[in-house]
Amino acid sequence: MAIIIKTKRPQELINSLNRAINRRAILTWVVDDMGDYTISREQWQFLAWMRPLILDDRIIFGIIQSRKFPMTKELYGVYHGRFVATLLSHFDLDIIDINVTPLLTEYDVVDNN
């Protein structure tokens, strides 16, 4: 599953997202030193991360599986759904188009074993 966001200024959108998280305007996510995002709520925190790939006209967010917890449909559904909701709630004017793929993609880091 990947979230594909078409935007005119992808790096500015990432910078704005990180600023909003760090200033606590967005409380549902935390960003780590590698620029990956995990849900801040204890129930879901550190079970997975969303990693951005920044291109010229888009950002592609893939999911990264925890080394300790298996990836489930519920887990990637929660992470993708909540991340999309956050982006639309805070950055709708910066987004031209947003798509979510239904299955794992080359942007995801998941051990299927």
Side-chain angles (χ1 to χ4, degrees), residues 45-89:
Q45 190 173 28
F46 307 127
L47 298 181
W49 289 262
M50 301 301 296
R51 175 168 289 167
L53 172 64
I54 303 167
L55 303 173
D56 289 337
D57 66 343
R58 68 194 68 230
I59 306 165
I60 302 172
F61 290 94
I63 196 163
I64 300 174
Q65 176 180 333
S66 166
R67 290 186 203 128
K68 297 179 182 178
F69 301 99
M71 182 59 62
T72 64
K73 288 182 180 184
E74 177 187 25
L75 184 58
Y76 70 68
V78 166
Y79 264 72
H80 285 76
R82 291 185 182 180
F83 205 72
V84 167
T86 297
L87 293 168
L88 291 175
S89 296

Side-chain angles (χ1 to χ4, degrees), residues 67-113:
R67 290 186 203 128
K68 297 179 182 178
F69 301 99
M71 182 59 62
T72 64
K73 288 182 180 184
E74 177 187 25
L75 184 58
Y76 70 68
V78 166
Y79 264 72
H80 285 76
R82 291 185 182 180
F83 205 72
V84 167
T86 297
L87 293 168
L88 291 175
S89 296
H90 295 272
F91 305 104
D92 59 329
L93 298 178
D94 301 313
I95 296 171
I96 296 168
D97 190 35
I98 190 165
N99 290 292
V100 180
T101 66
L103 301 173
L104 293 175
T105 69
E106 67 268 23
Y107 305 105
D108 302 308
V109 180
V110 175
D111 181 9
N112 289 328
N113 298 325

